[in-house]
Amino acid sequence: MSMSKPAAAAPSDPSKPSKPLKEVPGSYGLPVLGAVKDRLDFYWFQGDTEFFRIRMEQHKSTVFRVNYSPGPPGYPDSRGIILLDQKSFSVLLDNSKVDKSDTLLGPYIPNLAFTGGYRVLPYLDTSEAKHTAYKDLIFELLHVNSSRIIPEYNKVFAETAGSWEERIAKSGKAEVFASSDAMITRFLLRTIVHKDPAEPGPASLGPKFRDTYQLWTGVNFAGIAHTPLPHFLEELLFHTFRLPPFLVKKQYKALANFYRTHATEALDLAEKKYGLDREETVHQLILILGINARLGLHKMIPALIYYLGLLGEDFQAKIAAEVRSAVHKNRAQGEEGVNITTQALLEMPLLRSTVLETLRLTPSIFYMYGRAREDMVIESHDAAFQIKKGELLGGHQYFVMRDPEVFEEPHKFVADRFLGERGKAVLPYLVWSNGRETESPASSNKQCPAKDVAELITMQFVAEMFLRYDSFEITKDSFINTTELNVHLKSLKKRSV
């Protein structure tokens, strides 16, 4: 039976709170020093989840004031209110209540030079005309390239699986994080841009295309980074001052040249149908495909391998049987080597529940932010709080999607959690996509435009695994948390029949 329980319904009139009205607990401490202390606790002395857990217990509340990291002196606007339960967090999904302008990373706003001088889609609020136009463009790009998605993913998976087999044969293990990143980058660019980034020719990114994207991403978001560097160096280099964009000028120029040269169909569509500036669209696509889509999709792969590895051979056999049955029933016609169809994926309920459970415990992005559009009252499960217009609100999905008021055994991976009526009842509380699982992305909201496609692609990855292998093992030292996905494959048992 699924380990889930529905939460109590929200009050029908949020202007009349059903809970006692309280002051938001917590303080920001002394100017600058309070924020620096919180930053050191967050990154070094406690870690991100313990940082919030300790304060939640201290205040006996899932809603409290906190200095968001990285904070001053380089990032002065760090004060905000954290929302750590499903009920209070729901305000961040209501675009009529919160403004998402430049709040993707809370107080951290990268220099516009990192994106060609343009404010890109994830930083735009739903009230901005460009938000609607660029989100509609993404929907159309997904639509016009829909026939390429499954075949291209099939190809990059086969290439990556082959490399895993070679590494296991050579060294006894194969790392998953970097290789899945390269796989997803190739898939996205082949599918949407219609060009492999490593393919020789004009504007090629070369065989080290992942390094180009990774370096630009790393410097862009260095202010919120965890790195292998000694603590004092990371604190000094990344969390105290902003790294200048010129450090990755060469890499970004190469990315822009690649998109200008090869994304002509997408750029033509943006310019002719939506009236969008061609050069601006280049920079929008670099970030949308290279960060939103790339990081979101590739983080799911090591997480899935980790949980499936822990569940072991018996559970993997159940998934394999479901995959093979659905594929046999809905075998693809046409392209050689492609056996999976969209209909087949839709007939794999246990696999879908397993993917959703992975997204619940390990979403691609753990944080969500927004500023209150007006004075309002926010309710948690046991209290109500007055919020002032302009206050920065944030949520940490580690706590929100492990809310014990919603999910039974919230920290346990339960593969069939989302099956049946009980599973259906808790689907609205799965919010990994910046929206509810039961809702659909639209140009008028901030939900991931590729939410449904991302889930199907992730399901396809598992399906491809069990069409090629009977089972697999991970190394004993594999682990995942909110900042690291350190997963290695130990063995891949080729399919016997």
Side-chain angles (χ1 to χ4, degrees):
M1 185 169 68
S2 296
M3 301 293 182
S4 306
K5 57 182 179 180
S12 57
D13 184 358
S15 66
K16 298 178 180 179
S18 60
K19 306 291 192 306
L21 192 63
K22 297 181 179 180
E23 288 288 324
V24 178
S27 71
Y28 303 119
L30 294 173
V32 180
L33 294 179
V36 170
K37 178 185 180 302
D38 280 357
R39 187 177 74 201
L40 293 174
D41 283 345
F42 180 87
Y43 284 110
W44 309 122
F45 303 137
Q46 295 166 356
D48 62 336
T49 54
E50 280 303 299
F51 175 87
F52 290 112
R53 193 192 316 279
I54 289 169
R55 286 154 182 77
M56 185 165 59
E57 293 173 356
Q58 175 187 343
H59 300 306
K60 295 181 171 56
S61 175
T62 53
V63 177
F64 50 89
R65 298 187 182 279
V66 69
N67 290 293
Y68 293 119
S69 293
Y75 312 88
D77 188 15
S78 64
R79 297 180 299 173
I81 297 170
I82 193 72
L83 314 171
L84 299 180
D85 67 275
Q86 282 274 347
K87 201 173 184 67
S88 61
F89 178 84
S90 65
V91 72
L92 290 171
L93 306 178
D94 187 343
N95 295 305
S96 69
K97 298 291 182 63
V98 292
D99 185 332
K100 296 294 184 76
S101 299
D102 298 319
T103 63
L104 176 69
L105 304 172
Y108 180 69
I109 305 173
N111 191 310
L112 289 182
F114 282 114
T115 50
Y118 299 98
R119 286 178 65 236
V120 286
L121 181 60
Y123 295 95
L124 303 180
D125 182 61
T126 52
S127 63
E128 299 178 67
K130 282 187 178 180
H131 178 276
T132 299
Y134 277 107
K135 200 160 184 186
D136 282 342
L137 173 64
I138 298 304
F139 288 138
E140 182 133 3
L141 288 174
L142 290 171
H143 174 70
V144 299
N145 291 293
S146 59
S147 64
R148 302 174 62 91
I149 292 173
I150 287 177
E152 290 294 351
Y153 201 93
N154 172 268
K155 292 174 187 175
V156 295
F157 171 82
E159 294 163 3
T160 304
S163 71
W164 287 341
E165 292 165 13
E166 291 176 6
R167 291 173 192 173
I168 290 172
K170 184 176 181 180
S171 63
K173 66 178 182 179
E175 68 78 33
V176 177
F177 185 83
S179 55
S180 66
D181 185 4
M183 179 178 77
I184 289 298
T185 304
R186 295 186 101 132
F187 161 71
L188 288 168
L189 296 180
R190 288 180 184 181
T191 303
I192 304 298
V193 180
H194 305 171
K195 185 71 172 179
D196 190 294
E199 185 178 336
S204 171
L205 294 174
K208 295 186 177 181
F209 63 90
R210 178 181 179 265
D211 294 344
T212 300
Y213 245 128
Q214 190 77 350
L215 185 58
W216 169 67
T217 304
V219 176
N220 193 351
F221 299 120
I224 57 172
H226 286 275
T227 74
L229 290 173
H231 295 176
F232 75 94
L233 278 179
E234 180 177 309
E235 189 64 21
L236 177 64
L237 294 176
F238 299 149
H239 302 154
T240 304
F241 303 103
R242 298 173 187 265
L243 291 183
F246 77 79
L247 293 174
V248 288
K249 184 177 180 179
K250 177 182 177 181
Q251 287 75 15
Y252 193 69
K253 182 179 179 180
L255 289 170
N257 194 31
F258 175 82
Y259 279 82
R260 287 191 198 101
T261 304
H262 299 295
T264 53
E265 292 180 36
L267 297 175
D268 288 345
L269 182 65
E271 185 177 37
K272 294 174 182 178
K273 183 168 182 176
Y274 294 99
L276 295 168
D277 180 79
R278 197 176 185 90
E279 180 63 14
E280 180 175 353
T281 303
V282 166
H283 302 281
Q284 295 280 353
L285 291 175
I286 291 173
L287 187 127
I288 292 166
L289 294 180
I291 292 182
N292 286 55
R294 168 181 150 251
L295 296 186
L297 285 171
H298 104 76
K299 285 184 177 180
M300 282 300 297
I301 294 171
L304 266 169
I305 287 178
Y306 176 78
Y307 288 120
L308 286 168
L310 289 184
L311 290 171
E313 192 170 339
D314 289 345
F315 181 77
Q316 291 177 27
K318 290 181 182 179
I319 292 287
E322 181 181 75
V323 166
R324 294 168 190 179
S325 175
V327 167
H328 180 75
K329 179 182 174 184
N330 301 277
R331 188 167 295 278
Q333 300 295 323
E335 191 158 349
E336 185 179 354
V338 181
N339 296 313
I340 298 172
T341 64
T342 300
Q343 184 58 41
L345 293 171
L346 295 175
E347 295 179 18
M348 302 177 190
L350 180 58
L351 173 51
R352 178 173 184 261
S353 180
T354 302
V355 167
L356 295 182
E357 179 72 341
T358 303
L359 285 164
R360 183 183 73 86
L361 291 178
T362 316
S364 301
I365 297 176
F366 279 94
Y367 293 91
M368 191 184 300
Y369 300 94
R371 290 194 181 276
R373 292 191 189 274
E374 58 189 21
D375 291 352
M376 69 175 94
V377 173
I378 290 179
E379 289 193 33
S380 66
H381 290 306
D382 53 14
F385 305 92
Q386 183 69 51
I387 305 296
K388 299 295 185 183
K389 178 180 179 180
E391 289 196 285
L392 181 61
L393 308 175
H396 193 326
Q397 294 197 58
Y398 177 92
F399 297 93
V400 172
M401 289 203 286
R402 299 174 189 228
D403 186 338
E405 294 293 323
V406 176
F407 299 106
E408 294 179 14
E409 297 191 69
H411 295 282
K412 182 179 179 181
F413 188 97
V414 181
D416 65 351
R417 188 183 294 274
F418 294 99
L419 292 180
E421 290 302 312
R422 289 182 66 82
K424 185 178 179 180
V426 292
L427 276 177
Y429 304 102
L430 188 64
V431 292
W432 71 272
S433 63
N434 208 358
R436 299 191 183 282
E437 183 63 25
T438 49
E439 296 175 351
S440 298
S443 56
S444 59
N445 64 34
K446 291 296 290 183
Q447 191 165 27
C448 172
K451 163 188 166 267
D452 297 328
V453 175
E455 290 178 8
L456 285 174
I457 290 170
T458 306
M459 289 176 65
Q460 183 182 347
F461 168 76
V462 181
E464 297 280 7
M465 284 287 287
F466 290 110
L467 290 176
R468 188 179 180 104
Y469 308 108
D470 280 333
S471 63
F472 62 84
E473 291 181 275
I474 58 174
T475 60
K476 291 183 179 179
D477 60 350
S478 294
F479 69 91
I480 62 175
N481 55 39
T482 56
T483 58
E484 295 179 88
L485 298 166
N486 188 358
V487 180
H488 290 76
L489 285 161
K490 177 183 177 182
S491 69
L492 290 163
K493 183 179 179 182
K494 277 289 188 74
R495 184 176 177 178
S496 56
V497 292

